[in-house]
Amino acid sequence: MAAVIGSEVHHLKADVAVIGGGTAGLNTAIAAAEAGADVLVVDKAHIVRSGAIAGGIDHFFAYLESGEPWDTRDAYLAYVAKVARGASNLRIHEKVFCEELTAAMARTERMGVSLRQQDGSYLRTQALGQPGPYAINFDGKFLKPKMAMEVKRKHCRILNRVQVSNLYLHQGEIAGFAGYDMRSGDFYAIEAKAVVIATGNTNRMFKTQTGNPFNLWYCPANTGDLHRAAFDVGAELANVEYVRLTIVPKGMSAPGFNAFFGMGGKLVNGLGQEFMNAYHPMGDKAPRNVMVWGALQEVRAGRGPIYVDVRHLKAADLEHLFSMLGIDKDTLPEFLRAKGYNREGTMIEMTVSEPMQARPSELCGSGIKIDETCASNISGLFAAGDASDQMGCLHMCMAGGFAAGKHAARYAAKLAHHRPLQANALEEERKRVFAPLLRNTGIAPGEFEGIVRIIATDHFGPYKSEVSLTSAIAKLDALDQYRDQLRAGNLHELMRCHEAVNIHAVAKIVAHAALARKESRFVPYHYRSDYPETSEDWCGLVVVRRDGENGVATRFERLHYDA
Amino acid sequence: MPAVIDKARCNGCELCVLYCPLDVLAMEDGVAVVRYPDECWHCGACRQDCALDAVTFEFSPVMLAI
């Protein structure tokens, strides 16, 4: 560690720099390296165990052309058009997912993670509005470490524990970024011909069921750091008005939805009645937002709490289900045991999860707006995975992350020189980044972040209206005055300070985007009480970008579907 | 309490500290400690990478009681 925190400055260069080493980012790095680029991966945690699948993953959505009518590319795209209507751009979906799918599955297996059962077959389940069983169940416990090994084999350079603090342009095009190492306190200035953002969605923005902001469905380290930084340099964002929720075990917000309902679990209310058939013809296999809506309505009507009933499943299916739960969330099976549940005789109490800033469907993303080449509106800046507006979920992050790497490498290869970073801007940033460590008094990051959570939850988590959103924006703007009073006692707290500021900034962007969409869509993910109906006029993207110092400009981009 | 490390079993290999996605763990006196238990995601990465079974999980009262 340097004698004085922040005094050690490292200057690095790369052809392609990937910010965020989760599933999408590592696939990006692999693709860019295979294309001959000199690749640098920067991760706030450690690429062996970072991002949404740090602890494991148990399903991969795919069509396999097995001969079944629902198992074709066209049937799959029809499903996307139906379930993600108004959020997924099918032209982009075809490029970043369909055209990469076969290679992504082969790559997964080549890295040493089988998508198949021991007899070589695929075990597939159906949920989430799918016309057939698209979810390949597999043991992805070691997928993340295996991808990290592949990235190392490809000779990518890796910076772990570095939080990127800002992006920089040169004459309107990407030049690089700055960041700091949360373990050593060293400062980094990185020039890159192409930058790919793959930092996931934004969590910790809303109150949680237990009151602990880290007890979350998705990774609490994903705090919109690069949503904010990209927005600040003029990148357009889309699909950010949606507030995503799911159904989780009471007491522990953990993934498991797809496993429970894919295996045939049923939601029942406090009266012991199955209720999803009243909300959707597919019942417990309805799209996720409809399941959440049904659960919310039952509780609101006084028929809570809600449970998942798996008592009717065969013993072998129950065994498979509980093993899958532990693959996706390592500690969930023992949590359920600690609660006193056993496999045979118990209904498991569930609840609607905390809201999060994320995609409204498994078939699109929420964040930096990308085109068919994963490029943003800023030359040299690309996005992949959940951080982009068109990708999300394991299948798209494996496939689309790779696409982003190919395109970023191609872009970088055309540039003879790196674009320069400005020394004075970097020096200013170095001071800004470490300033919370120098304050003797001030506000703890958790307190500031907690205020954001109260405002966001009360005003748009998830129900909202023009009045609630306008009021939220005023309150979030008024909170600006405290940003420069955040205080950190050490480097870990410094990271939390910057995360708190980023969550705050993204909350404002979310509120502005939600204000612009004067309809409801993916209810309750975007439920405007003043515009409760879904309108064909709003079948498309609300696109947001920075307007002046503190403003947010919005525009609407229509999306077209055949049916 | 989320992740709990058995000091007697920990050999100080630092893998859990290296990998924890939330930067919750740190080394103290040659063994890993859970410095920020309230920030644990319960992902189990630390336990999966521990060769000595030094990591267990304890669920907080609120998780079990509500």
Side-chain angles (χ1 to χ4, degrees):
Chain A
M1 189 184 290
V4 178
I5 284 172
S7 64
E8 193 80 36
V9 180
H10 304 270
H11 294 270
L12 301 177
K13 286 187 182 185
D15 294 335
V16 174
V18 185
I19 305 174
T23 303
L26 294 190
N27 279 281
T28 299
I30 293 165
E34 285 181 4
D38 167 36
V39 180
L40 176 70
V41 181
V42 184
D43 195 296
K44 195 163 68 169
H46 191 291
I47 64 163
V48 169
R49 294 283 185 196
S50 60
I53 70 162
I57 180 75
D58 68 350
H59 59 275
F60 186 116
F61 295 138
Y63 56 90
L64 298 179
E65 308 282 5
S66 64
E68 296 289 338
W70 50 265
D71 212 11
T72 65
R73 174 171 166 151
D74 284 350
Y76 182 85
L77 283 169
Y79 159 64
V80 176
K82 187 175 171 190
V83 173
R85 189 179 176 87
S88 176
N89 182 321
L90 294 185
R91 274 184 304 121
I92 297 175
H93 202 95
E94 286 195 71
K95 291 285 180 194
V96 304
F97 178 62
C98 299
E99 292 183 11
E100 296 285 343
L101 172 60
T102 307
M105 291 179 65
R107 186 165 58 252
T108 304
E109 302 226 331
R110 198 173 63 237
M111 288 189 292
V113 177
S114 178
L115 292 167
R116 300 160 196 263
Q117 301 298 298
Q118 282 182 343
D119 65 2
S121 67
Y122 291 106
L123 197 167
R124 306 170 78 189
T125 57
Q126 177 182 7
L128 298 160
Q130 294 160 358
Y134 284 146
I136 299 170
N137 289 208
F138 77 109
D139 183 349
K141 208 74 196 155
F142 295 101
L143 180 55
K144 193 74 211 313
K146 296 270 189 189
M147 286 192 293
M149 283 167 64
E150 181 73 3
V151 165
K152 287 175 191 166
R153 268 198 295 272
K154 302 282 182 197
H155 304 294
C156 300
R157 283 175 293 159
I158 298 149
L159 281 181
N160 290 311
R161 302 289 172 192
V162 169
Q163 182 176 33
V164 171
S165 61
N166 259 318
L167 298 167
Y168 295 99
L169 307 185
H170 176 71
Q171 296 174 350
E173 301 177 311
I174 201 74
F177 52 92
Y180 71 98
D181 185 321
M182 73 185 65
R183 294 266 170 98
S184 70
D186 290 0
F187 186 74
Y188 284 87
I190 295 159
E191 290 177 33
K193 292 176 178 173
V195 172
V196 185
I197 294 174
T199 46
N201 69 312
T202 312
N203 294 310
R204 287 166 34 204
M205 193 187 286
F206 297 91
K207 290 195 236 174
T208 66
Q209 56 161 327
T210 60
N212 179 331
F214 290 81
N215 184 337
L216 300 181
W217 172 29
Y218 262 57
C219 182
N222 294 358
T223 51
D225 300 355
L226 272 295
H227 279 53
R228 193 276 304 157
F231 178 82
D232 278 355
V233 296
E236 288 189 327
L237 309 183
N239 281 340
V240 290
E241 63 273 38
Y242 298 109
V243 169
R244 183 169 170 85
L245 309 109
T246 191
I247 293 171
V248 293
K250 187 81 171 178
M252 186 189 225
S253 283
F257 181 104
N258 185 72
F260 276 122
F261 301 110
M263 289 305 294
K266 293 187 179 302
L267 278 179
V268 298
N269 63 21
L271 304 175
Q273 301 159 334
E274 294 176 16
F275 59 81
M276 274 313 300
N277 284 327
Y279 297 95
H280 195 278
M282 296 185 81
D284 291 287
K285 296 196 184 292
R288 192 188 304 264
N289 65 297
V290 181
M291 302 281 282
V292 171
W293 179 249
L296 288 171
Q297 298 315 301
E298 290 300 304
V299 172
R300 185 188 277 182
R303 293 191 290 271
I306 57 162
Y307 301 86
V308 62
D309 189 354
V310 293
R311 292 175 299 180
H312 54 287
L313 299 188
K314 292 185 193 122
D317 286 349
L318 269 176
E319 191 170 329
H320 175 70
L321 167 61
F322 278 81
S323 78
M324 295 305 280
L325 292 177
I327 287 169
D328 216 82
K329 181 77 176 184
D330 200 67
T331 54
L332 181 55
E334 69 205 84
F335 171 74
L336 295 175
R337 281 196 297 276
K339 291 272 277 194
Y341 297 130
N342 58 50
R343 281 182 206 171
E344 292 76 25
T346 327
M347 293 194 297
I348 298 168
E349 187 180 341
M350 305 293 277
T351 189
V352 173
S353 74
E354 70 285 346
M356 60 203 259
Q357 178 278 308
R359 56 196 147 86
S361 154
E362 289 64 42
L363 307 160
C364 63
S366 164
I368 296 155
K369 185 176 186 298
I370 57 168
D371 66 12
E372 292 96 322
T373 67
C374 307
S376 74
N377 59 310
I378 291 174
S379 181
L381 183 65
F382 298 76
D386 284 21
S388 77
D389 73 322
Q390 291 299 319
M391 291 181 218
C393 219
L394 181 76
H395 61 303
M396 296 195 75
C397 292
M398 292 293 299
F402 198 83
K406 287 197 285 197
H407 291 296
R410 206 169 292 159
Y411 178 94
K414 288 183 194 156
L415 285 192
H417 305 287
H418 287 80
R419 301 181 182 114
L421 295 175
Q422 301 302 318
N424 54 348
L426 290 170
E427 181 52 21
E428 210 173 282
E429 179 67 355
R430 192 176 69 84
K431 287 182 182 155
R432 183 191 76 86
V433 161
F434 294 107
L437 284 169
L438 302 175
R439 294 185 188 116
N440 292 320
T441 59
I443 301 165
E447 182 183 353
F448 181 89
E449 202 183 294
I451 299 169
V452 175
R453 268 192 290 279
I454 294 170
I455 297 170
T457 307
D458 289 354
H459 292 262
F460 54 95
Y463 306 111
K464 48 200 144 182
S465 68
E466 182 171 334
V467 175
S468 82
L469 290 164
T470 307
S471 162
I473 290 165
K475 289 178 184 178
L476 290 167
D477 283 345
L479 205 51
D480 286 357
Q481 61 179 312
Y482 299 111
R483 281 186 310 203
D484 295 335
Q485 297 176 34
L486 286 173
R487 179 176 180 274
N490 56 41
L491 285 164
H492 176 87
E493 290 175 20
L494 183 68
M495 166 182 64
R496 296 285 181 246
C497 284
H498 290 296
E499 290 177 342
V501 166
N502 292 330
I503 293 165
H504 173 227
V506 178
K508 287 190 199 183
I509 297 168
V510 168
H512 278 281
L515 191 57
R517 183 178 286 281
K518 293 183 170 52
E519 63 145 7
S520 292
R521 189 171 290 268
F522 301 101
V523 171
Y525 298 167
H526 180 72
Y527 182 72
R528 285 281 302 255
S529 62
D530 45 353
Y531 299 97
E533 302 300 324
T534 301
S535 163
E536 199 51 24
D537 294 344
W538 285 97
C539 181
L541 304 174
V542 167
V543 183
V544 296
R545 70 187 296 171
R546 187 174 178 173
D547 183 22
E549 199 50 44
N550 224 347
V552 180
T554 60
R555 68 181 176 86
F556 180 68
E557 183 176 305
R558 174 161 287 280
L559 290 174
H560 299 279
Y561 302 88
D562 289 340
Chain B
M1 275 296 284
V4 179
I5 293 166
D6 183 346
K7 276 189 182 181
R9 282 177 176 253
C10 177
N11 69 349
C13 78
E14 299 192 32
L15 272 186
C16 59
V17 177
L18 187 67
Y19 293 150
C20 173
L22 274 302
D23 196 37
V24 158
L25 306 169
M27 294 301 290
E28 278 177 20
D29 301 326
V31 293
V33 296
V34 183
R35 187 174 286 171
Y36 300 97
D38 289 345
E39 298 177 8
C40 176
W41 185 30
H42 297 77
C43 69
C46 50
R47 176 170 65 182
Q48 291 178 55
D49 295 315
C50 181
L52 296 171
D53 290 331
V55 185
T56 52
F57 277 82
E58 285 180 16
F59 302 104
S60 61
V62 64
M63 293 174 73
L64 297 173
I66 62 172

